[in-house]
Every structure is written in C-alpha cells, then in structure tokens.
Amino acid sequence: MSAAAVPFPSPTTGKSVGLNIHSSSPSSLSFRFLDPRCFASNGIRCDVRNLASPQRWTVDCVSDSDPIHIILKPPSSSLTMTTSSSLKNAKRVCLFYCNEMKSLAERIASESDAIELRNISWRTFEDGFPNLFISNAHGIRGQHVAFLASFSSPGVIFEQLSVIYALPKLFVSSFTLVLPFFPTGTSERIEEEGDIATAFTLSRILSNVPISSGGPTSLVIFDIHALQERFYFGDNVLSCFESGIPLLKNRLQQLPDSDNISIAFPDDGAWKRFHKQLQHFPTIVCAKVREGDQRIVRLKEGDPKGRHVVIVDDLVQSGGTLIECQKVLAKHGAAKVSAYVTHGIFPNRSFERFEPDNGGSPENGLSYFWITDSCPETVKEVKNRAPFEVLSLAASIAATLQI
C-alpha cells in the first residue's frame, strides 16, 4: 500500500473522519488525521487487515502538530519475522582483513549477521618477506568474499597485494576490495619532467586484480583525494566511490546548536568536492593566497559571525591550512570552530598541533575535530584526546558489501 484516505472513528465524537495512510514497507505504516480534533489521546489500538493476517498494532501520536501525526508500530513478532526474512535474503560475505584493520573489521561484522570474519596468517620468512596463509581456503569456494585493506605505508602494501591477488582465484562467487583511504591520492600531478604519478601507478596495480568466477573485482574507496583519479582505474575493476560526509551530517544533527551550523571549505577544491552534499548549510569559502614566500589563508566569501563553523576537507596531513583557516574564522567572529576530514593522516604526530577550544574560544582551538577510522593508526593515537572524535565507517562499509 502506498497512500490512501480512509474513514476513521473520532475518539471525541464517534463520527468518521478523514485519515491519510502511508506505507513504505509491509512493517511500517504512518497515519495522518485530516482533522486535528479527532485525536484526543495516545491510547489507540487498531487492527491492520490488509496484511496476510490481522495483527494488533499500536498507534503513537506526535503531539502538538497540526494536522496531528500518528505512527503505527507493528507487534514485536512481526518485526522478528521481518528481520529474519531480511537476514535470509541478505548476501552473506566472508570478510578478510589486514592486521591494522582488525578493529574496523570487527565493527563491520557487528553491523550485520550476514558478514562473517575470516582469518589470514600474516607470517614472514627469516629474510622478512611474506609467508602468508589463507585459513580454510576451500571453505570460501562459491562464497562472496571481501578484503579490508590499509595501505598505510609502502612496507605493508606488497603483502596485502599478494592476498588481494590470491583471493579471487579461489573460485569465489564475487570479490570486493575495500580500501577506505587511497594513500597516493595526493601524488597525481606531473609538474616537471621526471615526476612520477604514483597515484596512477597504484591505480593500474589495483585495476589488474584477477577476475573472480563472478566477474570483475569491486573496489570501494572513500573520498578519493583528486576527483579525476576515479578515471585512473581500468575496466577490469568496478570502482565504487563512497563518502564519509553522511556520517558528518548525522553527527551535526545531534549537536545542541545544530540550527546554527555553517560549513567552511579551506579552498575551492574542497568546495567543488563537497558543496553539493552540504548545500543546505550556509557556506563559507576560504582561499590560500601567496604573499612572498608565504601562503596565507583569507576569507573569500560567507559570514562566520556568531556561527558554529565546521571546516570540511577530505584529508589532513600537517594541518597547517586548517589551523590558519580556524584563525581566520575566529577573527571574523565565529562563535565556535570545528573541523571534519575523512582521512586523518597526521604524519609525524601532527595531530598534536590541534588543541580544544576550552569552552568556546575559537581563537585558541577547535570545539570538535571529527575524523573517520579510515586510517587505523591515527585512531589509536587520538583516542580519548580532545578535540578529536572518531566517526566509524563500519555501517557504511557493511551496507556497501551488500551491493
């Protein structure tokens, strides 16, 4: 059922009144009275007879609204049946992972009973080269298989590539490679003869992952640094580019000052990347200008005065630009300044540069600094350290594995 208007007995008059019914699924119905006077209490129960069998549903009221809105909640047994049916129809996935990603892999598995963790023995020979072993390799034949990778340093890439190239050849039904952070993304430019675009090199390596019995490998990456890099991958892989911005939007809705948020972009590149996903927020754009040997951040457009301004970018390394942007926003009257990046890289412990604002002093620091768990070593370093807060990609990855 999609939508319909039906008569409904008014609790106050006993007469039939108009009622709009809307359903988006068999387990979810919502009613809206066309006459707000028809609803006087929350103690309403009704029979739903258009399902396979009549069921007793409970009606909840959203009070102080005109028209009055009420929501039907199915009985718990109905929810159990729906959950069981969903699990039965879900794609069951065997998820392998590198050592660095163990915590995130466990969170992903906790999101769905259809995801099962599998182990790899990450051993080495005496000379330091990998001596790897995939446990129960015969047991994954005909299964949907995924690998959660972290290319945090050149030293760990080779051993993971060895596993990535081996898994699709074990007669699996499909293979998905989840690489939340594409690490060479900042190295895509050729500015003079002799520069090597390592982003393109890594893209070619990943584009040649063997095809499984189910077809090409699916490659999942979050907020790749340069948008043009999505075209670096060949036709032998199906590239799926996801974003961490929905995590930020959900978190902003939970803030006590959620109605006073403005989004700031540190440069035009960040604006081009993210502004469409955040277009319902007031926007501020900064710009980096060169004065002699220095690059200075200035306010290009927008008004931060009195606002809680959240600086948004895809990644942070040294953090110099973010700090300069924070100072400019504070100078122009921002009440609070926070920051979000999908990938917190922070080489040489550069996260130590970021201090909390100590109760609303944006010139001294940040109210929040949100990152995701795409870079697991960083997560370990900033855990329980203000102003940092980690937004997990687990639910998003779990959902992507069902595609």
Side-chain angles (χ1 to χ4, degrees), residues 329-349:
L329 294 169
K331 182 179 178 181
H332 284 81
K336 295 180 184 178
V337 178
S338 296
Y340 165 86
V341 296
T342 303
H343 311 296
I345 305 169
F346 297 116
N348 302 316
R349 298 179 63 86

Side-chain angles (χ1 to χ4, degrees), residues 77-334:
S77 59
S78 174
L79 289 176
T80 302
M81 292 174 61
T82 301
T83 302
S84 300
S85 176
S86 298
L87 180 59
K88 184 178 180 181
N89 296 328
K91 182 174 76 173
R92 304 197 69 86
V93 179
C94 299
L95 178 61
F96 294 88
Y97 54 91
C98 67
N99 284 330
E100 288 183 11
M101 285 298 197
K102 181 179 180 180
S103 294
L104 178 54
E106 290 173 345
R107 284 192 289 272
I108 294 170
S110 70
E111 292 287 336
S112 172
D113 291 336
I115 299 175
E116 178 186 353
L117 294 184
R118 294 295 184 94
N119 294 322
I120 295 173
S121 296
W122 298 92
R123 307 170 301 191
T124 58
F125 292 108
E126 291 183 0
D127 61 1
F129 274 82
N131 177 19
L132 309 171
F133 181 74
I134 299 172
S135 303
N136 190 22
H138 280 83
I140 63 173
R141 286 189 174 186
Q143 302 294 313
H144 298 288
V145 172
F147 181 75
L148 180 62
S150 174
F151 291 177
S152 59
S153 69
V156 300
I157 292 179
F158 175 66
E159 63 180 12
Q160 292 181 64
L161 283 175
S162 299
V163 171
I164 291 166
Y165 272 58
L167 285 171
K169 299 169 72 174
L170 294 176
F171 297 96
V172 300
S173 180
S174 69
F175 181 62
T176 301
L177 171 59
V178 183
L179 181 63
F181 172 49
F182 186 71
T184 60
T186 57
S187 303
E188 86 287 357
R189 297 174 184 164
I190 301 294
E191 295 183 350
E192 62 176 310
E193 193 67 30
D195 283 342
I196 297 176
T198 54
F200 183 56
T201 302
L202 184 57
S203 299
R204 284 190 292 178
I205 292 173
L206 295 178
S207 296
N208 285 284
V209 174
I211 295 176
S212 70
S213 60
T217 292
S218 297
L219 173 62
V220 181
I221 295 175
F222 283 80
D223 290 322
I224 196 167
H225 178 64
L227 295 179
Q228 68 268 20
E229 290 172 1
R230 64 182 59 208
F231 304 110
Y232 290 2
F233 297 93
D235 294 337
N236 289 334
V237 294
L238 302 175
S239 301
C240 179
F241 297 98
E242 299 286 346
S243 178
I245 293 298
L247 297 176
L248 172 65
K249 292 165 70 173
N250 289 339
R251 184 65 183 94
L252 294 181
Q253 291 175 359
Q254 300 168 9
L255 298 181
D257 57 352
S258 59
D259 58 346
N260 193 42
I261 300 290
S262 290
I263 300 297
F265 300 106
D267 52 39
D268 288 333
W271 179 85
K272 290 177 182 178
R273 169 186 298 279
F274 293 125
H275 80 279
K276 288 186 178 179
Q277 296 185 69
L278 297 164
Q279 58 187 347
H280 58 289
F281 291 97
T283 298
I284 298 164
V285 181
C286 297
K288 288 180 283 189
V289 296
R290 187 177 296 278
E291 290 188 1
D293 295 333
Q294 293 183 322
R295 300 194 73 178
I296 299 174
V297 176
R298 288 182 175 172
L299 190 65
K300 181 178 178 181
E301 61 181 78
D303 184 9
K305 188 174 182 179
R307 308 285 292 180
H308 181 176
V309 183
V310 180
I311 307 169
V312 174
D313 209 347
D314 63 310
L315 60 82
V316 58
Q317 298 219 36
S318 68
T321 298
L322 284 182
I323 289 176
E324 291 301 315
C325 192
Q326 168 228 323
K327 291 178 179 178
V328 168
L329 294 169
K331 182 179 178 181
H332 284 81

Side-chain angles (χ1 to χ4, degrees), residues 23-56:
S23 173
S24 57
S25 70
S27 62
S28 175
L29 294 177
S30 63
F31 285 16
R32 188 178 74 170
F33 284 108
L34 302 182
D35 182 354
R37 295 171 298 174
C38 70
F39 193 77
S41 68
N42 291 338
I44 293 181
R45 293 184 180 275
C46 66
D47 288 329
V48 179
R49 300 186 180 277
N50 64 321
L51 301 177
S53 60
Q55 300 182 54
R56 183 71 62 177

